Amino acid sequence: MLDRPIRRVPTLRDITVANVFFEPSTRTRISFELAEKRLSADTVNFSVSGSSVSKGETLKDTALNIEAMKVDMVVLRHRSPGAAVFLTRCIDAVIINAGDGAHEHPTQALLDMLTLTDIHPSIEGRNVSIIGDIAHSRVARSNIYGLRALGAHVTLCAPGTMTPVGIEEMGVRVTDRLDEALESCDVAMALRVQLERQEAVLFPGVREYHERFGITLEHMERYPDLRIMHPGPVNRGVELAGDVVDHERAVILDQVTNGVAVRMAVLYLLADRGAEPAS
Ligand code: CP
């Protein structure tokens, strides 16, 4: 539908969606809003700056007030793990988790699965390496669930200080050697180092991090079938060399494109519009 001249269907025209973002976002926020508009929903956008949260209003009271204005669905991004589940206990509106702290980012994982199937139609048996700040990454956790459910072999690669204790129990292999993670994988998902969530210094410096865990043009030449994914935002020169971000085997912008379609599907399904999806 997104490739047609008229990229809009009336499917959700009687639905109102509030995009409530307590943390910064570019991709998730814009793609949810576009998805809502493509489905003809009414949308309202809420961010902390300029709202009464800055005057001390709680998440629950904010949500109750939004619901009192007859909002049907809330897309929530929040710094606290569990914030989306918490809201489901406070209000009757449908809640969609757009990222809760370092916990989960379900729609990111869904769009990543779609992007993977564009590269390899079956994910089962494929090798996917997730490389970077695993400890603070909601994207890593949601992708591990998705990839394991679809039968992929998952390797995590990070400094020991960014690898959660016991993560192997999620059915993944762990290494701190980048080449070990890259040599056997079909697709590498690089993650941003989330300095804003780190309470201690977890690595000596950006240059050393890039030398040990950054994917470079040299790696792309050494592994000629390797594809690169990244949820964004990218720190060029840290987890990925700038040349790798722009490389023809990087599908980072395809992930963003797929995000709109996936979020349309999520909105459609959670709005419970009957059996047949919009064509
Ligand atoms: N991938 C992702 O969540 O990006 P944003 O923080 O820009 O939404």
Side-chain angles (χ1 to χ4, degrees):
M1 201 206 96
L2 295 173
D3 291 331
R4 290 182 191 167
I6 299 173
R7 289 171 291 190
R8 188 181 282 261
V9 288
T11 314
L12 298 190
R13 69 182 154 205
D14 52 342
I15 295 281
T16 302
V17 187
N19 300 309
V20 178
F21 280 66
F22 286 83
E23 276 192 332
S25 168
T26 297
R27 284 144 288 270
T28 311
R29 183 182 187 136
I30 293 177
S31 65
F32 261 113
E33 194 176 343
L34 271 177
E36 292 149 13
K37 288 185 186 329
R38 302 287 187 237
L39 292 168
S40 301
D42 288 325
T43 66
V44 285
N45 292 315
F46 169 99
S47 56
V48 177
S49 62
S51 78
S52 290
V53 171
S54 56
K55 300 177 201 163
E57 192 162 57
T58 64
L59 171 62
K60 179 177 176 178
D61 284 332
T62 301
L64 285 169
N65 279 273
I66 289 171
E67 188 176 56
M69 291 181 244
K70 309 295 176 197
V71 164
D72 303 294
M73 304 175 96
V74 174
V75 177
L76 178 71
R77 169 165 291 190
H78 200 276
R79 66 184 170 281
S80 299
V85 169
F86 169 73
L87 265 205
T88 64
R89 298 185 190 126
C90 303
I91 61 176
D92 291 330
V94 169
I95 310 295
I96 299 176
N97 185 0
D100 58 334
H103 180 224
E104 284 231 45
H105 195 348
T107 57
Q108 178 69 44
L110 290 171
L111 73 88
D112 289 341
M113 300 303 119
L114 177 57
T115 309
L116 276 168
T117 56
D118 287 343
I119 302 169
H120 299 293
S122 173
I123 295 177
E124 184 153 21
R126 291 285 170 189
N127 295 298
V128 179
S129 291
I130 306 177
I131 299 157
D133 187 359
I134 310 291
H136 298 95
S137 177
R138 52 193 173 213
V139 174
R141 192 182 300 269
S142 288
N143 263 296
I144 292 169
Y145 285 131
L147 290 165
R148 295 293 297 128
L150 295 174
H153 306 296
V154 181
T155 298
L156 306 182
C157 178
T161 49
M162 294 182 184
T163 307
V165 175
I167 191 87
E168 294 90 342
E169 287 166 23
M170 294 183 79
V172 298
R173 190 170 72 103
V174 175
T175 179
D176 61 0
R177 290 187 50 244
L178 181 58
D179 271 296
E180 197 176 311
L182 295 181
E183 67 196 2
S184 58
C185 80
D186 299 293
V187 178
M189 291 184 182
L191 301 174
R192 184 174 65 89
V193 176
Q194 301 196 33
L195 293 172
E196 73 277 20
R197 294 194 206 282
Q198 295 178 9
E199 286 162 6
V201 178
L202 299 181
F203 57 94
V206 167
R207 189 189 297 182
E208 179 172 290
Y209 182 87
H210 181 66
E211 274 172 20
R212 282 203 56 198
F213 295 98
I215 302 176
T216 63
L217 211 48
E218 213 173 277
H219 293 114
M220 299 304 285
E221 283 159 10
R222 199 178 306 157
Y223 306 111
D225 296 325
L226 179 64
R227 301 296 191 100
I228 302 293
M229 295 174 66
H230 192 303
V234 177
N235 282 332
R236 284 176 184 255
V238 185
E239 63 271 13
L240 295 177
D243 292 340
V244 175
V245 179
D246 303 324
H247 200 278
E248 60 182 8
R249 281 185 275 127
V251 293
I252 298 167
L253 293 179
D254 298 323
Q255 290 172 261
V256 177
T257 302
N258 283 340
V260 180
V262 158
R263 286 167 178 136
M264 285 173 71
V266 168
L267 289 160
Y268 172 81
L269 290 169
L270 292 178
D272 199 13
R273 285 290 128 122
E276 291 301 317
S279 59

